Amino acid sequence: MKARGGAGPTTARSASSPHNATTRSHALINPDLYLPKSWTEDRERCRAARIPDDRDFATRNDLARDMIPRALDSPLPIARVTADCPYGQDSRFQRFMEDAHRACGMRRR
């Protein structure tokens, strides 16, 4: 997210993005844009940016919990999931991965 001084415009520039990596390639799969709460609470702004009216605020971890099952249901051969600190510190995300019965490596600090 990039902000300009004072009450200036804020632009959402963050995405939660699953990647598929092998020894020979790396590809972005099925990313989802993170929208700050200030955006999702401003429907006129969302409409101007062509964001659907049914799009509600979701944390990055919420987005990940939606994206991971979509990736696992894809035809890609996914053996494990890795995640960085914010995900590793979230006990709900940890339980979600345990319930999905997937090998998972998460950095916790």
Side-chain angles (χ1 to χ4, degrees):
M1 179 169 51
K2 183 177 180 180
R4 289 194 294 204
T10 301
T11 305
R13 293 185 178 205
S14 178
S16 292
S17 52
H19 296 257
N20 188 36
T22 69
T23 57
R24 295 166 47 176
S25 69
H26 177 266
L28 175 66
I29 54 170
N30 203 6
D32 208 345
L33 179 67
Y34 168 79
L35 295 171
K37 192 176 267 192
S38 62
W39 272 69
T40 58
E41 290 176 346
D42 185 345
R43 287 296 153 194
E44 290 304 314
R45 183 183 219 177
C46 286
R47 285 184 193 110
R50 297 185 178 163
I51 297 167
D53 282 340
D54 63 351
R55 180 67 186 268
D56 293 322
F57 174 74
T59 67
R60 286 179 179 85
N61 291 20
D62 292 335
L63 294 174
R65 282 190 294 273
D66 289 341
M67 286 184 287
I68 289 171
R70 291 192 312 246
L72 295 174
D73 289 342
S74 77
L76 296 170
I78 298 172
R80 73 182 61 84
V81 174
T82 59
D84 59 7
C85 292
Y87 302 98
Q89 295 172 350
D90 180 351
S91 61
R92 288 186 314 151
F93 186 80
Q94 292 172 18
R95 277 192 306 277
F96 164 76
M97 290 307 302
E98 290 168 5
D99 291 345
H101 303 288
R102 288 292 175 163
C104 183
M106 289 183 277
R107 185 176 172 144
R108 298 204 172 150
R109 297 197 268 164

